[in-house]
Amino acid sequence: MSWFQYSGQTPDFVWFGPAHVAVLVGLLIICICMTKARRSIRTNKGVDRSLRLGMVATLIILEVMYQTWYVVNGAWGAHFALPLHLSSITWITAVIMLLTLHRRWFEMTFFAGVSSALLTMITPDIGNFGFPHFRFFHFFLTHGLVIVAAYYVLVVHRTELTLRSVLIVWGYLNAYAAVVFVINLIIPNANYMYLMMKPPSPTPFDWFGPWPYYIFVLQLVSLLLFLLMYASYWCIQWLVIKSSTRLP
C-alpha cells in the first residue's frame, strides 16, 4: 500500500508532467460537459439533487480519508492537519453552498475557492507525492471539485453576483486570516494559510517578497484576483447563461 504511505516509493510530482496536464484537461472537459447539460439538469430536480449530494459526499469522504491518512501513518499534527487552510475552508463553503444554494456561500466559494484552487492546481504544493500516490488524487480531486461545484451552481442554478460581492468576500477573507494568524501564534510551529512563512516548494508566494511583506502584497493580489473572477463571471453570463435564454 505504498500509494497510501506518508513516505512511499511513488515518483515525485512533476510540474506540468503528463499526470498534471491530464488533471487540468479533465477539469476543462467536465466544465464543458456541464455547460452543455445545464438545461437538462436544471429541469430534472432529481438529477440536480443527486449531483449536488454526490459532490458533497465526495468532498466529505476525501477529507475523512485525508485525516485518516495522517493518523494511520502516525504523522497527524495540530500544527498542519486541522482544516484551517484556505483550501479547507473553501471546500467547507462549497459543501454548504451545494446543500443550501444560498448566494452568500456561493460568493465565498466562487471568489475565494475558485481563484485559490485554480492557482493551487497550476502550482501545486504536494512535494514528493506524485501520481499515483493518494495525496496526488486527494489534492487535485478536492481542489477540482471546489471549482466544479461553483461552476455548477453558476451555470445550472444561474446564481448571480454583484460587484459588492467582491468587497464582501475580500473582507471576510481578511477577517478569517486575522483569526488564523492568532491560531498560528497559539499552536507551536503552525503555519496555516502560510501566514508565518512561505510554502517550502516554489509557488506564487515567491514573487511577493519576504515575510511579512508578502502578506500585505497578497491582500492586494487577492482583491485583483477577485475582480478578475468577477470579470470571468460576466463572460460566463454572456457566453453561456444569457445566450441560453435567447434560445427556444
Side-chain angles (χ1 to χ4, degrees):
M1 292 182 63
S2 60
W3 66 275
F4 202 69
Q5 293 177 357
Y6 191 76
S7 57
Q9 301 300 317
T10 53
D12 290 348
F13 175 77
V14 179
W15 189 49
F16 278 101
H20 189 195
V21 172
V23 167
L24 298 177
V25 172
L27 177 63
L28 179 61
I29 291 173
I30 291 172
C31 290
I32 292 173
C33 293
M34 197 182 302
T35 301
K36 292 183 176 297
R38 66 192 183 279
R39 280 173 288 177
S40 299
I41 298 172
R42 188 182 308 126
T43 55
N44 192 321
K45 301 300 182 183
V47 171
D48 170 45
R49 186 170 184 272
S50 296
L51 288 173
R52 288 190 288 115
L53 290 179
M55 285 187 278
V56 167
T58 302
L59 284 167
I60 293 174
I61 290 171
L62 284 170
E63 179 62 20
V64 171
M65 291 183 68
Y66 181 51
Q67 297 295 331
T68 302
W69 173 61
Y70 277 131
V71 173
V72 167
N73 288 280
W76 194 94
H79 62 291
F80 68 91
L82 296 175
L84 295 174
H85 276 296
L86 183 59
S87 58
S88 298
I89 291 302
T90 52
W91 81 251
I92 293 172
T93 65
V95 165
I96 301 174
M97 173 194 69
L98 290 166
L99 292 175
T100 66
L101 296 176
H102 193 282
R103 195 178 79 173
R104 186 67 74 216
W105 294 109
F106 170 68
E107 292 172 342
M108 292 290 296
T109 306
F110 183 81
F111 288 115
V114 175
S115 61
S116 64
L118 278 173
L119 286 175
T120 305
M121 289 185 72
I122 294 172
T123 58
D125 178 28
I126 53 175
N128 61 340
F129 298 122
F131 178 87
H133 194 274
F134 160 76
R135 180 68 176 119
F136 175 92
F137 287 105
H138 168 268
F139 181 90
F140 285 107
L141 282 173
T142 302
H143 288 84
L145 267 175
V146 169
I147 297 172
V148 169
Y151 189 74
Y152 179 91
V153 173
L154 174 58
V155 299
V156 174
H157 290 272
R158 296 183 288 196
T159 307
E160 296 184 351
L161 295 169
T162 65
L163 187 58
R164 183 169 174 266
S165 304
V166 173
L167 298 177
I168 290 174
V169 175
W170 188 72
Y172 282 155
L173 181 60
N174 276 278
Y176 176 70
V179 173
V180 171
F181 185 81
V182 174
I183 295 174
N184 283 335
L185 294 175
I186 296 172
I187 301 176
N189 301 317
N191 188 30
Y192 291 108
M193 292 185 72
Y194 302 114
L195 294 175
M196 314 309 286
M197 67 180 67
K198 298 178 184 179
S201 59
T203 66
F205 284 73
D206 298 328
W207 307 336
F208 305 142
W211 187 93
Y213 302 109
Y214 73 83
I215 296 175
F216 300 104
V217 177
L218 281 172
Q219 288 184 311
L220 178 59
V221 170
S222 63
L223 181 58
L224 292 175
L225 281 174
F226 289 0
L227 290 171
L228 285 174
M229 290 297 300
Y230 186 65
S232 71
Y233 158 75
W234 275 108
C235 289
I236 296 171
Q237 281 279 348
W238 288 107
L239 294 176
V240 177
I241 299 175
K242 297 294 184 182
S243 63
S244 68
T245 61
R246 295 194 292 267
L247 295 175

